[in-house]
Amino acid sequence: MSIRTIMLIMLIAGTVRAVQASQYVSLWPLPQKVKILDLSFKLTSFNIVDAKESSAGSSCSLLQDAYRRYYEYMFGIAKRQGPRKSRLTGPSELTELQVWITSPDSECDGYPSVTSDESYELSVDLPYAVLKAPKVWGALHGLETFSQLVYEDQYGAVSISDFPRFAHRGILLDSSRHFLPLKVILANLETMAMNKFNVFHWHIVDDQSFPYLSRTFPQLSQQGAYHPYTHVYTPADVKMVIEFGRLRGIRVVPEFDTPGHTQSWGKGQKDLLTPCYSGSKPSGSFGPVNPILNTTYDFMSQFFKEISTVFPDAYVHLGGDEVDFTCWKSNPDIQKFMDQQGYGQDYKKLESFYIQKLLDIVTTTHKGYMIWQEVFDNGVKLKPDTVVHVWIGGGANEEMGKVTAAGYTTILSAPWYLDYISYAQDWQKYYKVEPLDFDGTEEQKKLVIGGEACLWGEYVDATNLTPRLWPRASAVAERLWSAKDVTDINDAFNRLSVHRCRMVA
Amino acid sequence: GNFVSHSLYLHTVEGVWPLPQSFTSSTERYPLNPKAFYFGYGRQSAAQQDCSVLDAAFKRYFSLIFPDYTSGSGDKPFTVEIRVDHADCDSYPNENSSERYNLSVSAGQASLNAETVWGALRGLETFSQLVYQDDFGTYFVNKTEIDDFPRFQFRGILLDTSRHYLPVQAILKTLDAMAYSKFNVFHWHIVDDPSFPYQSRTFPDLSSTGAFHPMTHIYTQSDVRRVISHARLWGIRVLPEFDSPGHTQSWGKGQSDLLTPCYRGSTPSGTFGPVNPVLPSTYQFMARLFKEVSSVFPDSYIHLGGDEVDFSCWKSNPDVRAFMQKMGFGGDFTKLEAFYMEKIVNITSALKKTSIVWQDVFDYHERIPKDTVLHIWKGTPASYKEELSRMTKAGMRVLLAAPWYINHIAYGQDWRNYYTVQPLNFSGTEEQKKLVIGGEVCMWGEYVDATNLTPRLWPRASAAAERLWSDEKQTSSVDEAFPRLQDFRCKLVRRGIRAEPLHVGHCKHEYQGV
């Protein structure tokens, strides 16, 4: 008997630890509708092909690439473990999976967006399996699901109809507190795809370091990165991340967080940050971006113009969180400006003044923007398609209510700060979150477009990122994809245990 | 010194982890050329060429000292001359082995003197940490004088290969990292409830039915030999633990009648409890198993476990109850446990091994051989301090693990908690305090396997390493330790150990091969 079959039988018999076979086999995230029929099949000399009627063909590199990748997942593992033998003796042989993009515009050469159709239907029946999807994005998800079925090889015909509950399912990585080498970012995108995540929120710069190599302002990384050669992302690196993500249906949304969290920006851009004062003299240290100088906005214009051409996604994340007012308060020029504007002592108004101008700049680059909740909380005037990112732990439910009542789309991260590690099975608390569990109308709840699991980098780098993020983030993946009533934690444990082994393999 | 810049200060002895006991360092430095760098045996050394331990060490340390062996400036030769008093090259390190060394670095040469080869290994590790590179890649070592020895004799790491199987490579890699922090005992908690990966020659059914998988998730005799010999070359003792009578579910699969059948009323329930202490066959089995274990593992110590025995199954079993009556134990099952442990310790004593047991055995029972070592694993600082007092007052030797359960992860810089432990801060006489022979960092395996072992273990375990090796007064400041440990962590990363970061920042040399 093959090793796989032995493990399978032990799995079914429930003698291996406490994992039992789920009736949903081990699909993760659980599809919206799964029906398992009683036939059985065997896979030999298997192919993944374009269906004749498909609007995507051999020129669709996104799909061709995916076919090769998934073939390797499914049969590469088998090859490593020796010849496959199905334990079932049915004569039925499945020879191919046909992929049928049904919409005339497959979107094969495009970029995924928050409105992309990610639905698919999978029917595994003889003589061939058919994966139907309106767009390539659905096909990618269908291939992932199919590969999860094949990993087990123990059951038979299947009929699946699937689509995500939420359109924005993201992971935040922080490459400023610690530089993250490209390999780790790409490996993470690969794992995200296995979990049907579709947004990589790249918190690329912050106080500690500025690894983004800007064409327009190369001194930013030259002075601000941990090391100007070994700890930067060149334009080629960035392109690679974006394309690697695209081929997996993952949007890359960059975050350039201002006016706080910008210490590293000031090293290569003099006069960008506010000089703090000690009494009547500059103290030598610097604070947030200086909101009163025209040069600030000239810089931001040029900088965000570049960003809008480098990153194709329709959105950029502008940050706007945790602005410390003490430095502004100490600076006499700023005090004078506050008087001139009639802001009194309310520095929130100054922050709003800055953000407003920034948002206007970004709007001229034809990008939508996402901002952390403080920007909304402080009463800044936002465009209607602004996405508000709720992250503050206490009172997140009320905040969700407030933001949606004001008519803005929102994404939730507050309960999913995965950098906060603790002993034992904390994935369960991430799984139990219900994003729509706040007081609001149905209309309001429709404005919640999803959420993000955040892995802030204070204590994380390439040495520990992967085991810290996975499989805990998988709990968030299912919460954002699967139906609201998929809450059985024991069934989840059984499926997630197998899914985790699959990711390791 | 305040006027020495931060990075320069780390190029002196302060850059060594754990901090040596006594040292003088200087800013005078000498360039090193890998093409003209030699290890040699002093004429008065008892160990000479063909000393397996040191010859292997010279080879290893050369690559550790010169990680990118490309640059080499100047042609001044530099020799590290080793002199060892006792040529114990072919033996195993033991609980009395001296690890003392003296290292003297001056122009063109370093003299490393030690009583044993194990001390020489410690000295080589220190020397390798003294070498650094400038911005152009040139290697340097500063003029230094070091006299060093460990505060505690027993400085261990526990790995649990039952809750999750750890591939042999992962164990060997851990041994390497242990040597970099001067740990000297690998406590191998090899079997437990969930799985029995140890392939016994005498009882092959134990692993063929009790391992997670009988072929891919076992340690063959040759695997075990490999671990032991790899450890020996690093001066690390391998202490096996075969924990009983509790924590033995996996043993029952391949050895029927070993575990106590639990009863529901008057019929067996189908489940099993701890090892059955009333059957003679139990002790015959244990005698044969421990005979094998004693010959497979050369260390003179063996860990017998004895922790967390759940009495409910014993209570439910009529034969056990009858035995209790016969022995006059009444309803006190701690007496039954004590009876069992005593018999096991007698078995291992007869095999000339010294036993280590978890504290439960002492807590429940007074009659243990005087040379048994007690292992404190539970409780708040207040309670384990009390335990330390009690045990040492009874004249027993003690190992401390309770404050170093580093499998209990938490957000933030928890290494500080491990660093600030004061093992001898309990009420007792000087004589009593001498009975604390050392401590152990425990990495239990419930949530740990090869995917996350290394970043979870390092550099947090290194914080405990310094506490166990160095002088407590010289290493009482967490703030002073922080930059040193950060720097040491980068050294580990450069040596291929995926030690996780302490806080924000970067290492000059990282991601080569990640």
Side-chain angles (χ1 to χ4, degrees), chain B residues 360-374:
Chain B
D360 313 50
V361 178
F362 174 83
D363 294 342
Y364 289 146
H365 164 63
E366 328 75 30
R367 246 185 12 212
I368 344 169
K370 244 340 176 40
D371 67 342
T372 307
V373 178
L374 303 173

Side-chain angles (χ1 to χ4, degrees), chain B residues 91-109:
Chain B
S91 62
Y92 286 92
N94 66 61
E95 71 276 16
N96 294 316
S97 298
S98 161
E99 293 172 282
R100 179 180 284 276
Y101 67 91
N102 161 279
L103 178 64
S104 184
V105 182
S106 49
Q109 72 140 22

Side-chain angles (χ1 to χ4, degrees), chain B residues 123-306:
Chain B
L124 283 170
E125 178 57 45
T126 298
F127 180 80
S128 76
Q129 295 188 25
L130 288 172
V131 177
Y132 58 94
Q133 288 172 282
D134 68 4
D135 287 335
F136 303 102
T138 313
Y139 295 92
F140 289 95
V141 67
N142 284 32
K143 182 173 164 67
T144 315
E145 209 40 63
I146 293 178
D147 245 311
D148 200 10
F149 58 88
R151 180 182 178 197
F152 291 104
Q153 261 304 102
F154 186 117
R155 306 177 306 283
I157 297 255
L158 177 152
L159 289 187
D160 169 0
T161 57
S162 174
R163 274 58 180 263
H164 285 95
Y165 178 78
L166 292 176
V168 175
Q169 272 309 318
I171 298 179
L172 301 183
K173 198 103 191 172
T174 301
L175 290 169
D176 294 347
M178 284 171 65
Y180 304 151
S181 294
K182 296 192 171 79
F183 277 104
N184 68 352
V185 179
F186 166 38
H187 174 168
W188 194 349
H189 188 91
I190 188 168
V191 298
D192 201 299
D193 283 327
S195 76
F196 195 106
Y198 172 74
Q199 186 177 55
S200 159
R201 337 181 258 250
T202 327
F203 300 105
D205 284 341
L206 287 172
S207 62
S208 72
T209 57
F212 282 138
H213 188 283
M215 300 206 311
T216 57
H217 289 60
I218 56 168
Y219 301 108
T220 61
Q221 291 291 314
S222 121
D223 290 336
V224 173
R225 277 197 296 272
R226 186 147 174 234
V227 169
I228 293 172
S229 69
H230 191 94
R232 188 185 84 88
L233 292 179
W234 281 121
I236 296 173
R237 299 163 54 196
V238 179
L239 171 74
E241 177 182 351
F242 285 84
D243 190 352
S244 73
H247 287 280
T248 44
Q249 288 294 297
S250 65
W251 301 45
K253 301 200 175 109
Q255 189 72 19
S256 51
D257 299 341
L258 180 66
L259 304 183
T260 311
C262 311
Y263 274 65
R264 206 183 290 130
S266 55
T267 44
S269 68
T271 59
F272 296 87
V275 168
N276 194 333
V278 320
L279 300 177
S281 55
T282 292
Y283 303 103
Q284 284 154 15
F285 165 81
M286 288 297 179
R288 292 175 67 198
L289 179 67
F290 280 109
K291 182 153 185 241
E292 173 187 318
V293 169
S294 295
S295 71
V296 169
F297 292 90
D299 199 84
S300 61
Y301 281 61
I302 191 166
H303 201 302
L304 302 177

Side-chain angles (χ1 to χ4, degrees), chain A residues 390 396-405 410-412 435 438 448:
Chain A
V390 175
N397 285 341
E398 289 87 84
E399 184 75 5
M400 297 290 277
K402 258 189 271 172
V403 173
T404 51
T410 178
I411 54 176
L412 180 64
F438 61 92
V448 179

Side-chain angles (χ1 to χ4, degrees), chain A residues 214-427:
Chain A
S214 160
R215 308 188 286 249
T216 328
F217 301 102
Q219 337 80 273
L220 286 171
S221 61
Q222 179 68 229
Q223 304 294 320
Y226 280 135
H227 189 287
Y229 301 127
T230 57
H231 290 63
V232 294
Y233 302 109
T234 62
D237 292 334
V238 174
K239 271 205 182 75
M240 190 175 230
V241 171
I242 292 171
E243 180 62 7
F244 198 88
R246 188 187 83 83
L247 291 177
R248 288 155 181 77
I250 297 171
R251 300 165 51 200
V252 178
V253 178
E255 177 183 350
F256 288 92
D257 191 352
T258 66
H261 286 282
T262 43
Q263 288 295 297
S264 66
W265 299 51
K267 303 211 172 104
Q269 190 70 17
K270 306 286 174 254
D271 300 339
L272 181 66
L273 304 182
T274 310
C276 311
Y277 274 66
S278 207
S280 57
K281 284 201 289 279
S283 68
S285 62
F286 297 86
V289 168
N290 194 332
I292 68 176
L293 300 179
N294 287 334
T295 48
T296 294
Y297 301 104
D298 291 335
F299 167 82
M300 290 298 171
S301 271
Q302 288 183 281
F303 185 76
F304 279 99
K305 182 144 182 259
E306 173 186 318
I307 297 308
S308 71
T309 61
V310 169
F311 292 91
D313 196 81
Y315 282 79
V316 294
H317 199 301
L318 299 177
D321 60 315
E322 298 181 310
V323 183
D324 182 358
F325 296 146
T326 27
C327 185
W328 280 351
K329 276 194 187 128
S330 74
N331 183 300
D333 297 324
I334 294 205
Q335 283 162 16
K336 215 182 332 185
F337 185 83
M338 291 286 284
D339 289 333
Q340 279 166 4
Q341 298 284 109
Y343 291 159
Q345 285 304 298
D346 189 357
Y347 282 83
K348 284 207 193 130
K349 294 203 164 93
L350 181 59
E351 184 190 354
S352 299
F353 170 82
Y354 166 82
I355 295 276
Q356 203 63 74
K357 295 189 76 158
L358 180 68
L359 298 187
D360 292 340
I361 287 172
V362 174
T363 304
T364 63
T365 67
H366 305 296
K367 294 288 187 190
Y369 40 75
M370 302 173 55
I371 39 98
W372 296 110
Q373 66 181 78
E374 285 99 315
V375 177
F376 166 82
D377 295 341
N378 293 347
V380 176
K381 206 164 77 233
L382 304 168
K383 269 199 306 180
D385 68 341
T386 308
V387 179
V388 178
H389 202 158
V390 175
W391 69 273
I392 297 179
N397 285 341
E398 289 87 84
E399 184 75 5
M400 297 290 277
K402 258 189 271 172
V403 173
T404 51
Y408 296 107
T409 43
T410 178
I411 54 176
L412 180 64
S413 280
W416 290 320
Y417 264 38
L418 268 50
D419 55 315
Y420 287 151
I421 57 171
S422 56
Y423 183 67
Q425 294 195 44
D426 59 354
W427 70 273

Side-chain angles (χ1 to χ4, degrees), chain B residues 108-123:
Chain B
Q109 72 140 22
S111 303
L112 172 54
N113 300 321
E115 290 174 37
T116 67
V117 294
W118 320 117
L121 285 179
R122 305 295 171 243

